[in-house]
Amino acid sequence: MHLTPGRGERHTPLDESLHAMGLFRQVGLVVPSFQLVPDILLSTDLLAMLPRRSFQERRNDDLVGVPPPLAVDAFPLHLAWHQRNANDLGICHVADLIRLILGE
């Protein structure tokens, strides 16, 4: 079974690619953020397809990362915070760092 991080969708472009190959997946769990996935993987028998950056700092854990068996289209990443923090210098600084590291 697969773990799907994202917006609560059980059907994604990955499913279209699998369908074209005559394959399918079973989604066992949907979570709102990639950040939740490594801990879930460590305590279940699920697997997930994640951006490498979402778990590469966890290399000392028992997680194994391998390239996906099929091409995967890019997808957008979004930064979000509450409007009341729009002028918070700390949040703006961290957002700028994230943009710098990941690119616009």
Side-chain angles (χ1 to χ4, degrees):
M1 273 207 197
H2 294 265
L3 173 64
T4 302
R7 299 178 297 189
E9 299 166 349
R10 289 182 169 265
H11 189 83
T12 68
L14 171 62
D15 295 290
E16 296 300 320
S17 298
L18 290 171
H19 180 64
M21 299 167 59
L23 302 170
F24 69 94
R25 66 181 178 150
Q26 283 185 299
V27 176
L29 184 64
V30 178
V31 297
S33 170
F34 287 116
Q35 296 168 339
L36 301 172
V37 175
D39 288 329
I40 293 169
L41 293 176
L42 288 169
S43 61
T44 68
D45 63 351
L46 298 174
L47 59 93
M49 191 156 67
L50 304 167
R52 181 178 38 246
R53 292 178 179 170
S54 68
F55 72 93
Q56 72 187 91
E57 297 299 321
R58 308 271 315 247
R59 288 191 183 145
N60 293 333
D61 290 336
D62 291 330
L63 296 175
V64 175
V66 296
L70 62 149
V72 180
D73 291 332
F75 56 90
L77 293 175
H78 305 279
L79 291 173
W81 54 87
H82 194 279
Q83 180 179 341
R84 70 176 166 263
N85 296 319
N87 295 318
D88 183 292
L89 294 178
I91 290 175
C92 291
H93 175 70
V94 170
D96 288 343
L97 289 175
I98 291 170
R99 287 185 193 104
L100 178 67
I101 292 168
L102 300 179
E104 284 293 329

